[in-house]
Amino acid sequence: MTESTEAGTAVLDQDGHGPMVVVEGLHRSYGTGAAAVHALRGVSFEVPRGELVALKGRSGSGKTTLLNLVGGLDEPDRGRIVVDGLDLADLGENGLLELRRDRVGFIFQSFGLIPILTAAENVGVPMRLRKEQARAREERVELLLSLVGLEGHAKQRPGELSGGQQQRVAIARALANKPALLIADEPTGQLDAETGLAVMELLRAVVRSERVTALVATHDTTLLDLADRVLELNDGEIVQH
């Protein structure tokens, strides 16, 4: 069935839920002619709601391209993407902006924190963009910092935190607007093995406690056991096992 919304056309199953992510026949190339790089070649998969799905593959396999497409940061050459019931092709520029602001939280390898802001202020940025009331924003920030184990570090700036702590702040910030989907691109890439494992365990706990879905790209095979399921990309295609 379909259902009209302000942001676009929602594509739902009969009970009104369906998978969190549906990708069908996705193609994405960069450049033209003989020099073209085919990053994705007909990728199709689904991500059920409430699961942590790991996306593995060597460097250059298309993981980042795929995450950018699912998150509405880029557009495919061909194919279809549905996120939380919304067909991204129907949204338009404003609809995609709303999707990224309200329904999708992003976690990057480089943390992406604002250096001059405290941990609490960094977490609060997405809510400020939505013009949330100060009291509600402060309560949510306090809750999220506690959730990621940083309740005692609210006033510290990124330069005063370890890499693992900075990534925890980034996770809290990604959860600020209560997204339906978390997208994480190599979130442990700059962390040592022990800290990386702790961050992945935190992501798994967050999926359970916040009832969100997570699509996490990683090349670290030791972290894949924490996922509910694993998708493998090789040369722009999903590998069928």
Side-chain angles (χ1 to χ4, degrees):
M1 64 177 287
T2 61
E3 174 183 301
S4 295
T5 70
E6 291 184 4
T9 301
V11 183
L12 310 172
D13 63 11
Q14 291 184 350
D15 63 7
H17 296 293
M20 177 57 64
V21 177
V22 177
V23 171
E24 298 176 348
L26 211 59
H27 290 260
R28 184 67 170 98
S29 297
Y30 300 96
T32 59
V37 175
H38 301 286
L40 297 177
R41 307 166 184 261
V43 169
S44 299
F45 65 90
E46 293 185 357
V47 176
R49 292 177 185 268
E51 290 194 1
L52 190 162
V53 176
L55 181 64
K56 75 173 184 175
R58 65 180 186 276
S59 179
S61 61
K63 300 191 303 296
T64 296
T65 295
L66 180 56
L67 293 184
N68 287 343
L69 292 171
V70 171
L73 296 172
D74 192 10
E75 296 182 7
D77 300 325
R78 302 199 310 275
R80 182 167 178 257
I81 306 168
V82 178
V83 175
D84 198 17
L86 295 174
D87 190 324
L88 269 57
D90 294 340
L91 298 186
E93 186 175 343
N94 289 336
L96 288 172
L97 179 62
E98 292 177 10
L99 177 91
R100 295 191 296 266
R101 185 190 65 195
D102 300 333
R103 296 177 185 247
V104 180
F106 294 92
I107 305 167
F108 302 104
Q109 177 178 332
S110 59
F111 314 140
L113 302 178
I114 301 173
I116 63 173
L117 300 183
T118 65
E121 290 167 342
N122 268 285
V123 175
V125 165
M127 289 179 281
R128 286 182 178 274
L129 294 176
R130 289 181 63 178
K131 300 181 179 179
E132 294 277 358
Q133 293 185 349
R135 183 173 180 179
R137 186 175 68 242
E138 291 168 1
E139 289 177 351
R140 179 72 174 161
V141 168
E142 184 177 356
L143 173 66
L144 290 172
L145 287 177
S146 176
L147 178 67
V148 300
L150 292 178
E151 54 267 40
H153 300 271
K155 296 183 178 180
Q156 291 182 280
R157 290 178 170 80
E160 301 171 316
L161 300 171
S162 69
Q165 289 171 331
Q166 289 184 62
Q167 193 59 293
R168 286 171 180 266
V169 174
I171 292 171
R173 181 185 58 188
L175 293 168
N177 287 338
K178 301 180 181 179
L181 174 66
L182 284 178
I183 292 178
D185 191 1
E186 300 283 4
T188 63
Q190 294 195 32
L191 307 176
D192 61 71
E194 182 178 355
T195 305
L197 181 59
V199 166
M200 285 296 290
E201 289 175 338
L202 172 62
L203 279 172
R204 183 176 176 86
V206 161
V207 167
R208 301 291 185 264
S209 64
E210 292 285 299
R211 297 181 180 179
V212 301
T213 304
L215 181 58
V216 182
T218 180
H219 66 277
D220 191 339
T221 56
T222 63
L223 305 180
L224 299 176
D225 288 341
L226 293 173
D228 294 301
R229 67 183 65 202
V230 177
L231 298 173
E232 182 177 358
L233 265 178
N234 183 28
D235 196 23
E237 297 179 324
I238 294 289
V239 177
Q240 302 295 334
H241 293 284

